[in-house]
Amino acid sequence: MKAFDELLAHRRVTEALSSVAERLSWDQETVMPRGATEQRAEEMAAMESVLHERRTDPRIGEWLDRAEPQDDEDARIIELIGRDFSRASKIPARLATELARITSLGQGIWASARANEAPEEFLPTLNEILTLKREEASALADGATGATELYDALLDDYEPDTKSADIAAIFDRMRPRLVALREEILGADHQPAALTGAFSHDAQFRLARTCATAFGYDWSRGRMDLAVHPFSSGRWQDSRITTRVVEAEPFNCIYSTIHEVGHSCYELGIDSDYAFTPLGRGVSMGVHESQSRMFENQMGRSRAFTEWLYHRLVEIFGPLSTPDATAFYETVNRVAPGYIRTEADEVQYNLHIMLRFDLERDLIAGRLDTDDLTEAWNTRFQKDFGLAVDRPSNGVLQDVHWSVGLFGYFPTYTLGNVYAGCLNRAMRAEVPDLDAGLTRGDATAGTEWLRENVQRHGALLPPRALVEQATGEPISEVPLLDYLERKFGEIYRL
Amino acid sequence: MKAFDELLAHRRVTEALSSVAERLSWDQETVMPRGATEQRAEEMAAMESVLHERRTDPRIGEWLDRAEPQDDEDARIIELIGRDFSRASKIPARLATELARITSLGQGIWASARANEAPEEFLPTLNEILTLKREEASALADGATGATELYDALLDDYEPDTKSADIAAIFDRMRPRLVALREEILGADHQPAALTGAFSHDAQFRLARTCATAFGYDWSRGRMDLAVHPFSSGRWQDSRITTRVVEAEPFNCIYSTIHEVGHSCYELGIDSDYAFTPLGRGVSMGVHESQSRMFENQMGRSRAFTEWLYHRLVEIFGPLSTPDATAFYETVNRVAPGYIRTEADEVQYNLHIMLRFDLERDLIAGRLDTDDLTEAWNTRFQKDFGLAVDRPSNGVLQDVHWSVGLFGYFPTYTLGNVYAGCLNRAMRAEVPDLDAGLTRGDATAGTEWLRENVQRHGALLPPRALVEQATGEPISEVPLLDYLERKFGEIYRL
C-alpha cells in the first residue's frame, strides 16, 4: 500500500473508535443508569488509552514522511494528520495522565465549591490545573514559555489558524460598542416584558421536535433526548441532540434545541465522502458555534421565525402573557441585567466571553494569580455589566470550563458570533426569501445555504478561509455589531 | 510487575473494551437512528479489530507461561485467560474475517429467504457457513475432523465443560417423556382458554416495569427499552433489558421481560470484585438460561405469581376473558399446537431444541446435506409434534441462529432448563416461603437464593460444578421432568 493510503486506512479506524467514544459520552449523559459511573469511567479510560496509542503510533510519522498528495484534498488530509500527530506526540504520557486525572477530579471539586459558594475550595485545584496546562502549552509550543506563545498553543486546539492577538484586536474593537449598546438598551423607556405562565414538559418537548424539524434536522440520522446540559453528539450518519425542559421557561428548551440542531446539522451536512477522514468534521469550535448561533439567533430569534413560533405557542398553550407576535418577538429578545453567561442575550453574551478571555490569558501568562481571580472577575464584571457580583456561583464559579482544563476555548464562542455576523449578511443577500420561509416555520432555505457554503466542506479549508470564501469578504466584527445595533435599536426604539 | 498482574491488567482493558462493544450493540438495537447502519458497522468492525488484536497479543502467552497463582481464584483466572487465548490464537485471521463476512451477509439472506418462504435462497449460504464452521471447529480441535470432536469444539464456546455425548444422553432420556406428556395434554378433556382482549401499549410497558421490580431488578444499574427481539445487555454496574409489546398478547411482553430480568440479575448479581476480570460474567449460556428460565417459568408462571399478576391485570385492564386467578394460571400455562420455538410453552420448548440439536450435529458432521435439511426438519417435526409444517417460515427458516454461524448454541437452551429443574428443587426446599412472596408480587427471596448460590460466583466454578454445588446433587433431567409432569398433570387433570 502507498504511504498515503496507509495513513488513511489507519486514521479510518481511529476515527471510528473516536466516534465510539463520543457515543459512549452521549450514553452517559442521557440514558446510562446512575449506578454505572465507575464502570463507565473505566470504559472511557480504556478507549482513551487505545486512542492515545493509535494517535501517537510512530508509523504515522513514517507514512507522513513518504505520503504523496495527488490533489488539494490529499494535501489537506496530510496537513491535518500531521498536525494531530505532532500535537499528540509532543505531550509526554506522564503529563497527559496527570492532566486527565486532575481535570477529572477538578469537575467534581468545582461543582462542590460552586454549591458551597466557596471559591477557596476550588482555587488550589485550579492552580494545579494551570501549572499542568502551562506545561502542556510549552510542550506544544516547542519549549517556548512566553505568554502569547503559551496561550496560542492552547487556543490552537479549538481554533487552529487564529492567534490570540487577532482575537484581542477584534474584541477590543467590539467591547466599547457592546457596552454602549447595553447601556442604551437598559436605559430605554420601552422595556419588553418577560414571558410568564406554565408550559407543560411534554408539550415543550414536542414543540422542540417541531422546531428541530423546521430547521431541517434529519431525524433518520439523529434523535433528541433530555440532558442536564444540552449538547449535540456525533457525526456523519448519527448526530444526536439533547435538550432540557424548564416548565416556566419555554425559551430555554426551544432555543437550546435550535442551537444544538445547528451543531448537528453542521456535522450531518458534511460531504459524506469525508466520513472517517480528518476532513469529516466541523473545522473549528468557532465555525461550529457560528452555525449553532445562526440557527438560534439570526434565524431562530428573528421577527419572521418568532411570528410562526408565537402562533405555535398560542395553539399549544393558549393565550400568552405577550399580547401579539410583535410583543412576543420583543420578549424573545429581551435584554435584562444578569450574571450568567449561558442565560445571556445576544448583546451581553459577548461581554461575558471577553471577560473570560482576558482573565484566562492573564492566568496562563502568570500575570494573574488564582488568589486574585475572584476580585479580578468582580471588578471587571462591575465595569462591563454595571452590576456587583452577589455570589461566586454567579461569578467566578459559574462555568465548568476551567475545571476541566478548557483554556483557550471561551473566545471561540464570540469568534463564532463574529463569523455568524459575516455569514448572516451573505446569506441574507443570497437568500432574499428566507424570511418568507421562516414566517411559515421553514428555515431550510437558510440551512441549505449554510450546508452549501460552509458545512459540506468539513475541514477541507481552514476556518477563516472557509468563512471568507462563503462571504467573499474578510472576517470582520462589523456585520455582527451592525446587526445587533439595528435589531436591538428597533426593539428598544433607540 | 509480576506476570499474573500483567495478565490481569491487560485483560482489564480488554474487558472494558468488550463491554463498550456490547453497549454499542445495545444502542444499535434500541435507540440508534435508522440511517446510521453503515457507520455503526464500521465502528463495530473497528472495535472488533482492536479486540482481536488484544485477544491474540503474544504477550498473553508469555505471561501465562510465567504466571503463578496464589489461590483457586488466581488459578481459575489463568485457566480462563488461557482458554480464551488458545481459542483466539487457533483461528487463522483469514478464517475469522471470512466468517465475519459470511455471517454478516447470512442474516440478511436468511431474513429475505424467510420473508419469501424460499429455503433455496438461503441454503447455499448455509452451506458456505457450514464449510467455514467445520474449518473453525477443526482448528479449535487441533486438526481433528471427527464428527464428535468438531461439534464439541463449537459447543465449547457456549457451554465449556460439557460434551455433545452428555447432552445427547440427557436428551434421549427426556424426549420420550416429553412426547408422551405433550400427547396426553393435547388429548385431555380439560383445555384452558386463550386470553383475549386488547391491552394498551403504555400500560403493558408500565406493567412490565412493575414485574421487573417484583423480581428485584436493580434500576440504578439498569433500564428497560423496546426492541424487536428482546435481549439483555451488559454487566457489572450496567445491565439493561429490552422488551416488546404486542397489544393483543400481554404475556409476550410480561414474560419476555421477566426472562431478560433473569439474565440481567445474573450479571448484576456477580461479586463486584470480579468486575473487569474473566470471573466477572455468567459462566455459560446454559447457566445463564437456567436463571432466565427460573425467573420466567418456575417463578413467573407459578400458581403463586400468576395470582398476583391476575389481580394486576384486572386492576389495569378491567375484567379479563379468564374468570378467576385459577383459570388465569391455566391460561398462562396453556399448551397449544404450534410451529414456533420462541412461542412454545414449557413442555414443547425442549422438543424444539432437541430437533435442532440433532439436525445441526448431522450438518456439522456432514451426515446431513443442506439440500435434505428441509425434509429432515419436516419429518422430525411431524414425529415429535404430530403436525405437518405448513411453510418454511414455520419450519426450517424460523430461527436466525444458523445464519449467523451459531452452531452448538441451541442445546444450551434445554441444558438451561435442566439446570433450572435442579436448581428449582433445591431453591424450593431451602426457601419454603417463596410462594407467599410470589403471591404478593415479591420474587426477591428467589432472586436472593439464586444470587447467593449461583450468580455471585460468576465464572469462578465451571458450569456443572456450580450447579451441583448449589443443589448438592449431580445434574439430572429428572427434576425438570418431574416438575413438568406434576405441574401440567394438575392443570390438565391428567
Side-chain angles (χ1 to χ4, degrees):
Chain A
M1 240 205 283
K2 286 189 301 181
F4 181 72
D5 297 332
E6 297 267 20
L7 266 184
L8 268 193
H10 185 268
R11 178 67 172 233
R12 213 175 162 84
V13 176
T14 310
E15 291 279 340
L17 295 171
S18 107
S19 167
V20 169
E22 190 174 357
R23 188 52 58 230
L24 219 52
S25 291
W26 171 88
D27 184 273
Q28 181 162 3
E29 301 298 324
T30 54
V31 294
M32 189 184 84
R34 65 178 189 281
T37 316
E38 294 155 37
Q39 176 174 335
R40 181 52 52 87
E42 187 139 354
E43 290 165 353
M44 286 299 290
M47 290 299 294
E48 281 308 317
S49 88
V50 169
L51 281 164
H52 178 76
E53 205 173 305
R54 290 191 70 85
R55 286 173 181 144
T56 55
D57 188 328
R59 290 175 303 169
I60 297 176
E62 296 160 26
W63 292 324
L64 281 168
D65 288 342
R66 292 190 286 114
E68 288 170 8
Q70 303 296 313
D71 55 24
D72 289 354
E73 262 185 36
D74 291 4
R76 176 67 171 162
I77 287 171
I78 291 171
E79 178 191 344
L80 290 169
I81 293 179
R83 184 175 165 276
D84 292 347
F85 179 65
S86 160
R87 285 186 70 90
S89 308
K90 281 175 180 172
I91 299 174
R94 175 207 45 84
L95 178 59
T97 309
E98 274 183 54
L99 265 167
R101 187 191 59 80
I102 190 76
T103 53
S104 157
L105 288 173
Q107 183 163 4
I109 294 168
W110 162 78
S112 150
R114 188 175 69 153
N116 298 340
E117 301 288 358
E120 67 279 10
E121 291 178 12
F122 170 59
L123 293 174
T125 306
L126 180 60
N127 228 345
E128 283 186 66
I129 293 172
L130 275 166
T131 305
L132 295 171
K133 290 302 283 188
R134 275 190 218 107
E135 199 181 328
E136 181 192 13
S138 168
L140 291 171
D142 298 312
T145 52
T148 306
E149 291 90 341
L150 287 185
Y151 190 84
D152 282 355
L154 299 176
L155 175 63
D156 187 57
D157 207 16
Y158 312 111
E159 199 66 23
D161 175 47
T162 293
K163 302 292 173 205
S164 56
D166 304 329
I167 293 177
I170 294 177
F171 285 9
D172 285 347
R173 293 194 296 271
M174 290 174 75
R175 192 170 163 223
R177 281 176 71 176
L178 288 174
V179 169
L181 179 58
R182 183 190 168 281
E183 279 174 15
E184 273 193 276
I185 287 171
L186 293 180
D189 290 336
H190 177 68
Q191 291 290 337
L195 189 70
T196 56
F199 305 86
S200 85
H201 184 287
D202 291 359
Q204 283 197 46
F205 194 79
R206 279 195 301 274
L207 177 59
R209 285 188 63 95
T210 307
C211 289
T213 304
F215 279 84
Y217 184 56
D218 179 356
W219 292 103
S220 78
R221 295 186 291 154
R223 56 178 287 124
M224 184 167 84
D225 296 87
L226 292 170
V228 178
H229 302 288
F231 62 99
S232 78
S233 159
R235 8 187 166 141
W236 312 321
Q237 295 184 329
D238 187 358
S239 186
R240 308 179 188 181
I241 56 172
T242 58
T243 191
R244 72 175 146 208
V245 177
V246 182
E247 297 232 331
E249 299 170 19
F251 297 153
N252 195 321
C253 173
I254 292 166
Y255 286 103
S256 70
T257 302
I258 297 174
H259 182 94
E260 300 309 333
V261 166
H263 284 302
S264 268
C265 280
Y266 186 5
E267 294 294 331
L268 295 174
I270 293 171
D271 189 332
S272 61
D273 288 346
Y274 295 166
F276 298 104
T277 81
L279 304 181
R281 60 174 61 183
V283 67
S284 75
M285 301 309 302
V287 177
H288 239 299
E289 193 71 6
S290 76
Q291 305 302 292
S292 58
R293 286 285 167 178
M294 286 182 77
F295 276 55
E296 178 189 352
N297 291 332
Q298 276 88 352
M299 293 195 276
R301 288 193 169 92
S302 67
R303 178 65 180 81
F305 186 76
T306 57
E307 162 111 24
W308 173 83
L309 185 61
Y310 170 73
H311 292 294
R312 293 298 74 68
L313 281 163
V314 171
E315 211 171 73
I316 298 167
F317 301 106
L320 303 180
S321 65
T322 49
D324 57 33
T326 302
F328 180 77
Y329 166 61
E330 294 179 351
T331 291
V332 164
N333 288 288
R334 184 167 174 267
V335 176
Y339 300 105
I340 302 293
R341 174 183 61 83
T342 57
E343 297 168 3
D345 50 81
E346 287 183 75
V347 175
Q348 298 187 92
Y349 190 88
N350 297 302
L351 291 172
H352 279 280
I353 296 305
M354 292 168 191
L355 178 157
R356 287 154 182 76
F357 172 67
D358 288 337
L359 294 182
E360 72 179 16
R361 276 211 299 171
D362 288 348
L363 285 170
I364 291 292
R367 286 190 297 259
L368 175 62
D369 197 277
T370 50
D371 288 342
D372 305 319
L373 176 60
T374 305
E375 203 193 318
W377 181 293
N378 295 347
T379 305
R380 169 70 177 265
F381 195 83
Q382 176 77 51
K383 200 165 157 199
D384 282 2
F385 292 81
L387 209 58
V389 172
D390 60 347
R391 53 175 187 267
S393 65
N394 276 337
V396 70
L397 289 183
Q398 74 179 263
D399 298 306
V400 69
H401 299 59
W402 292 338
S403 78
V404 292
L406 294 178
F407 287 87
Y409 189 109
F410 276 123
T412 69
Y413 288 124
T414 284
L415 212 52
N417 286 328
V418 169
Y419 295 157
C422 301
L423 290 167
N424 184 55
R425 189 159 73 173
M427 177 177 75
R428 287 285 174 174
E430 293 182 25
V431 191
D433 57 350
L434 177 56
D435 272 343
L438 291 172
T439 311
R440 296 190 311 270
D442 179 2
T444 52
T447 305
E448 273 161 32
W449 188 88
L450 289 169
R451 181 160 53 230
E452 180 58 27
N453 290 280
V454 177
Q455 298 170 357
R456 69 184 174 89
H457 300 296
L460 183 62
L461 295 172
R464 279 149 36 128
L466 173 67
V467 176
E468 290 180 355
Q469 174 181 287
T471 63
E473 294 192 85
I475 304 291
S476 157
E477 73 287 357
V478 173
L480 174 67
L481 294 173
D482 286 353
Y483 154 85
L484 290 174
E485 286 170 356
R486 191 170 54 247
K487 174 174 180 176
F488 288 89
E490 278 171 25
I491 293 174
Y492 282 88
R493 301 161 196 182
L494 305 177
Chain B
M1 241 204 279
K2 285 190 299 180
F4 181 73
D5 296 331
E6 297 267 19
L7 265 184
L8 267 193
H10 185 268
R11 178 67 172 233
R12 209 170 166 88
V13 176
T14 310
E15 291 279 340
L17 295 171
S18 108
S19 166
V20 169
E22 191 174 356
R23 187 53 58 230
L24 220 51
S25 292
W26 171 87
D27 184 272
Q28 179 161 5
E29 302 299 324
T30 54
V31 295
M32 190 184 84
R34 66 176 188 282
T37 315
E38 294 155 39
Q39 177 173 334
R40 182 53 50 88
E42 188 140 352
E43 290 165 353
M44 286 299 290
M47 290 298 295
E48 280 310 316
S49 88
V50 169
L51 281 165
H52 177 77
E53 206 174 304
R54 291 191 69 86
R55 286 174 181 145
T56 54
D57 188 328
R59 291 176 303 170
I60 297 175
E62 296 159 26
W63 291 325
L64 280 169
D65 289 342
R66 291 190 286 113
E68 286 169 9
Q70 303 296 313
D71 54 25
D72 289 353
E73 262 185 35
D74 291 3
R76 176 67 172 163
I77 287 171
I78 292 171
E79 178 191 344
L80 289 169
I81 293 180
R83 184 174 165 276
D84 291 346
F85 180 65
S86 159
R87 285 186 71 90
S89 309
K90 281 176 181 171
I91 299 174
R94 174 207 45 83
L95 178 59
T97 309
E98 274 184 54
L99 265 168
R101 188 190 59 81
I102 189 76
T103 52
S104 157
L105 288 173
Q107 184 164 4
I109 295 168
W110 161 78
S112 150
R114 189 176 68 154
N116 299 338
E117 300 288 358
E120 67 279 10
E121 292 178 11
F122 171 58
L123 293 174
T125 306
L126 180 61
N127 227 345
E128 283 186 66
I129 293 172
L130 275 166
T131 304
L132 294 171
K133 290 301 285 188
R134 275 190 217 106
E135 200 182 325
E136 182 192 11
S138 167
L140 291 171
D142 298 313
T145 53
T148 306
E149 291 90 341
L150 288 185
Y151 190 85
D152 282 355
L154 299 175
L155 176 64
D156 187 57
D157 207 16
Y158 311 111
E159 199 64 25
D161 179 44
T162 293
K163 302 293 173 204
S164 55
D166 305 329
I167 292 178
I170 293 176
F171 285 10
D172 285 348
R173 294 193 297 271
M174 291 175 75
R175 192 169 162 223
R177 281 176 70 176
L178 288 174
V179 169
L181 179 59
R182 183 189 169 280
E183 279 174 15
E184 272 193 277
I185 287 171
L186 293 180
D189 290 337
H190 178 69
Q191 291 290 335
L195 189 70
T196 57
F199 306 87
S200 85
H201 184 287
D202 291 359
Q204 282 196 46
F205 193 79
R206 281 195 300 274
L207 176 59
R209 284 187 64 95
T210 308
C211 289
T213 304
F215 279 85
Y217 184 55
D218 179 355
W219 292 102
S220 78
R221 294 186 292 154
R223 54 178 285 124
M224 184 167 83
D225 296 270
L226 292 170
V228 178
H229 301 288
F231 62 98
S232 77
S233 159
R235 6 185 168 143
W236 312 320
Q237 294 184 329
D238 187 357
S239 187
R240 307 180 188 180
I241 57 172
T242 59
T243 190
R244 72 177 147 207
V245 177
V246 182
E247 297 232 331
E249 299 171 19
F251 297 154
N252 194 321
C253 174
I254 292 165
Y255 286 103
S256 71
T257 302
I258 297 174
H259 182 94
E260 300 309 333
V261 166
H263 284 302
S264 267
C265 281
Y266 186 5
E267 294 295 329
L268 295 174
I270 293 171
D271 188 333
S272 61
D273 289 346
Y274 295 166
F276 297 103
T277 81
L279 303 182
R281 59 174 60 185
V283 68
S284 75
M285 301 308 302
V287 176
H288 239 299
E289 193 71 6
S290 76
Q291 304 302 292
S292 58
R293 286 285 167 178
M294 286 182 77
F295 276 57
E296 178 188 352
N297 290 333
Q298 276 87 352
M299 293 194 277
R301 288 193 168 93
S302 67
R303 178 67 180 81
F305 186 75
T306 58
E307 162 111 25
W308 173 82
L309 184 61
Y310 170 73
H311 292 295
R312 292 298 73 67
L313 280 164
V314 170
E315 209 170 75
I316 298 168
F317 302 106
L320 304 180
S321 65
T322 49
D324 57 33
T326 302
F328 180 78
Y329 166 61
E330 294 179 351
T331 291
V332 164
N333 288 288
R334 185 167 172 267
V335 176
Y339 299 106
I340 302 295
R341 174 183 60 84
T342 56
E343 296 168 4
D345 50 81
E346 286 183 78
V347 175
Q348 298 187 91
Y349 190 88
N350 296 304
L351 292 171
H352 278 281
I353 296 305
M354 292 168 192
L355 178 157
R356 286 153 181 78
F357 172 67
D358 288 338
L359 293 183
E360 73 178 17
R361 275 211 299 171
D362 287 348
L363 285 170
I364 290 291
R367 285 189 298 258
L368 175 61
D369 196 277
T370 49
D371 288 342
D372 304 321
L373 177 60
T374 306
E375 202 193 317
W377 181 293
N378 294 348
T379 305
R380 171 68 177 266
F381 194 82
Q382 175 78 52
K383 200 165 156 196
D384 282 2
F385 291 82
L387 208 59
V389 173
D390 61 346
R391 53 177 188 267
S393 66
N394 276 337
V396 70
L397 289 183
Q398 74 179 264
D399 297 306
V400 70
H401 299 60
W402 292 338
S403 79
V404 292
L406 294 178
F407 287 87
Y409 190 108
F410 275 124
T412 69
Y413 288 124
T414 284
L415 212 52
N417 285 329
V418 168
Y419 294 157
C422 301
L423 290 167
N424 185 54
R425 189 159 73 174
M427 178 177 75
R428 287 285 174 175
E430 292 181 27
V431 191
D433 57 350
L434 177 55
D435 272 343
L438 290 172
T439 310
R440 294 190 311 270
D442 179 0
T444 51
T447 305
E448 273 161 32
W449 188 88
L450 289 169
R451 180 159 56 230
E452 179 59 27
N453 290 280
V454 177
Q455 299 171 355
R456 70 183 174 89
H457 300 295
L460 183 61
L461 295 172
R464 282 156 26 134
L466 173 66
V467 176
E468 290 180 355
Q469 174 181 287
T471 62
E473 293 192 86
I475 304 290
S476 156
E477 73 286 357
V478 173
L480 174 68
L481 294 171
D482 287 353
Y483 155 83
L484 290 173
E485 286 171 356
R486 192 170 54 248
K487 175 174 179 175
F488 288 89
E490 277 170 24
I491 292 174
Y492 281 87
R493 301 162 197 182
L494 305 176

